[in-house]
Structure formats: C-alpha cells, structure tokens
Amino acid sequence: MKDLFLFSNLIINDHSFTYLFHIILVAIIVLIVAKMATSSMQLVPRGTQNLLEAYLEGIVSMGRDVMGSDELARKYLPLVATIGLIVLTSNLIGIIPGFEAPSSSLNLTLCLALCVFLYYNFEGIRTQGVIKYFAHFMGPNKFLAPLMFPIEIVSHLSRIVSLSFRLFGNIKGDDLFLMVVLSLAPWVAPLPAFALLTFMALLQTFIFMILTYVYLAGAVVVSEEH
C-alpha cells in the first residue's frame, strides 16, 4: 500500500513537472515572438511584425463584429490577443511528438476561464454599476425575477466549465488521437493527422477568443431595451 502511494505521488509529481516545463516554454516562445515583432518596427511591416499585425487586425475585426464597436474591440484587444497567443502556442506544441500541450491540462484551461470570468464581470460592474449590472440577471419581468436570478447565476458559473472543459477536452482528445496514429502508422498517417490537428488547434483558439468577446459584450454593452 505504501509502495502504491509513493508510485502515485511520483506520477503526479512527474505530470506537474511536465506541465510546468511546457507552460514555461510556451511563455518563452510568446515573449520571443512579441520581442521579434516589436524590436525593430517599420512603417511597412515585414516578417514577424507583419504576421502579428495581421493577427491583431483579425482579432479587432472579430471583436468589432461581436461588440459592435471598434473602440471596445481595441480596448479589450490586449486581453483577447494574449489569451489567443497562449492558447494557440499551447495547442501547437502538443502536435510535436515528444511534447505535451499545456492546454490539455485543466491547470491552464481552468485558469484562463477564471481570468475571463472574473474580468468580464468586473468590467460589467465597473461599466454599469453593481445594481444595474445584476438587475439584468433578473430578466425583463419583475415577477419572474426570483426564478430568473438563480438561473442566470448558474448560467454564468457554467461558463467557467464550458470554457475550460471545451478546450481541455478537445486538445486532450487530439493528443490521444496523435498518439494512436503514431503507434499504428508512424510513417504513413502523420502528415494528414498533423494537418487536422493544426486546424483543430486554430479552431479551438478562435472559439476561446470569440467567446471571450461575447462574454465581454454581454457584460459591458447595454442593449436598447435596457
């Protein structure tokens, strides 16, 4: 029994070290890319600067469509762009044989989901005030407020689960899929598998970013009927 306990602790510690190593690697890669893009900025962008400017413009365009305002899209650009770089790099690292995607661990996905959850609620309260912000949770009919308020609270809390488990589940599944493919056909199937996994990495990053904008829009954009 003691040996089993020690063995389980060894596995947990090994997994923690693996996750820590890969998340630090992701942070280093993101910082290097950002440094390369901003170290010698030019009026006509080239190389990494051009790539990151296109990335940022795409996020602003997405935010503008979701929030209906270029100003708000740019205001929350730093948050969404940083999350996108971390999630994308984490997803892509897992495609490389021998590496593990930090986004396949709840340690990262839950942390990011909590950051988004706390931030959009903070922004909603800061923008609208406590009373007006939570008044939206009660619905348009005051008679239904006792029913609507707890439903809205549960709905908002479920976003933490939705954000974290969607990313975690998909990337974990991709890792297992790649492991099976490499074990069954190490020389034949990897190229189509890598293409599919790269697409999934991009897709999951896009979903996480657009949901962040959607939640921010719901918190700070006051609709006309309210």
Side-chain angles (χ1 to χ4, degrees), residues 35 48 107 150 168 200 212 218:
K35 182 65 176 178
T48 309
N107 291 317
F168 159 73
M200 290 300 298
T212 301

Side-chain angles (χ1 to χ4, degrees), residues 29-131:
I29 292 173
V30 170
L31 289 174
I32 289 174
V33 170
K35 182 65 176 178
M36 289 173 60
T38 57
S39 59
S40 58
M41 299 193 62
Q42 301 174 353
L43 187 60
V44 180
R46 294 185 300 176
T48 309
Q49 181 188 346
N50 189 32
L51 183 64
L52 273 191
E53 284 194 8
Y55 167 72
L56 295 177
E57 284 299 324
I59 294 176
V60 170
S61 177
M62 175 176 64
R64 188 186 305 118
D65 293 339
V66 173
M67 307 195 78
S69 167
D70 185 75
E71 181 183 355
L72 287 176
R74 293 184 181 276
K75 178 181 179 180
Y76 299 114
L77 173 65
L79 171 69
V80 180
T82 302
I83 287 177
L85 284 174
I86 292 173
V87 172
L88 179 60
T89 308
S90 299
N91 293 350
L92 292 177
I93 275 185
I95 301 174
I96 304 172
F99 289 82
E100 183 177 323
S103 47
S104 67
S105 169
L106 276 174
N107 291 317
L108 177 62
T109 60
L110 184 58
C111 180
L112 292 176
L114 284 171
C115 287
V116 172
F117 174 80
L118 293 174
Y119 187 74
Y120 85 72
N121 280 292
F122 168 78
E123 280 294 293
I125 293 172
R126 187 183 66 82
T127 303
Q128 303 184 43
V130 177
I131 296 177

Side-chain angles (χ1 to χ4, degrees), residues 2-210:
K2 182 179 179 180
D3 291 340
L4 180 61
F5 178 74
L6 292 174
F7 179 69
S8 63
N9 279 341
L10 181 63
I11 293 176
I12 293 172
N13 291 333
D14 181 65
H15 177 74
S16 299
F17 174 78
T18 302
Y19 167 75
L20 184 62
F21 169 79
H22 285 92
I23 194 62
I24 291 175
L25 180 61
V26 166
I28 292 173
I29 292 173
V30 170
L31 289 174
I32 289 174
V33 170
K35 182 65 176 178
M36 289 173 60
T38 57
S39 59
S40 58
M41 299 193 62
Q42 301 174 353
L43 187 60
V44 180
R46 294 185 300 176
T48 309
Q49 181 188 346
N50 189 32
L51 183 64
L52 273 191
E53 284 194 8
Y55 167 72
L56 295 177
E57 284 299 324
I59 294 176
V60 170
S61 177
M62 175 176 64
R64 188 186 305 118
D65 293 339
V66 173
M67 307 195 78
S69 167
D70 185 75
E71 181 183 355
L72 287 176
R74 293 184 181 276
K75 178 181 179 180
Y76 299 114
L77 173 65
L79 171 69
V80 180
T82 302
I83 287 177
L85 284 174
I86 292 173
V87 172
L88 179 60
T89 308
S90 299
N91 293 350
L92 292 177
I93 275 185
I95 301 174
I96 304 172
F99 289 82
E100 183 177 323
S103 47
S104 67
S105 169
L106 276 174
N107 291 317
L108 177 62
T109 60
L110 184 58
C111 180
L112 292 176
L114 284 171
C115 287
V116 172
F117 174 80
L118 293 174
Y119 187 74
Y120 85 72
N121 280 292
F122 168 78
E123 280 294 293
I125 293 172
R126 187 183 66 82
T127 303
Q128 303 184 43
V130 177
I131 296 177
K132 188 175 181 180
Y133 179 68
F134 284 105
H136 296 318
F137 288 35
M138 300 180 184
N141 191 323
K142 63 181 181 180
F143 297 105
L144 293 177
L147 176 64
M148 292 299 299
F149 188 78
I151 291 176
E152 284 293 319
I153 293 294
V154 172
S155 174
H156 279 260
L157 290 174
S158 68
R159 293 176 178 181
I160 302 175
V161 179
S162 173
L163 273 178
S164 58
F165 276 85
R166 178 188 290 107
L167 180 58
F168 159 73
N170 279 281
I171 302 304
K172 191 68 174 179
D174 290 347
D175 284 352
L176 295 175
F177 168 73
L178 181 61
M179 186 186 305
V180 172
V181 168
L182 291 176
S183 62
L184 294 177
W187 305 110
V188 180
L191 286 180
F194 287 151
L196 176 61
L197 293 179
T198 301
F199 171 75
M200 290 300 298
L202 293 168
L203 178 62
Q204 292 305 317
T205 304
F206 173 79
I207 291 173
F208 205 102
M209 290 192 297
I210 199 169

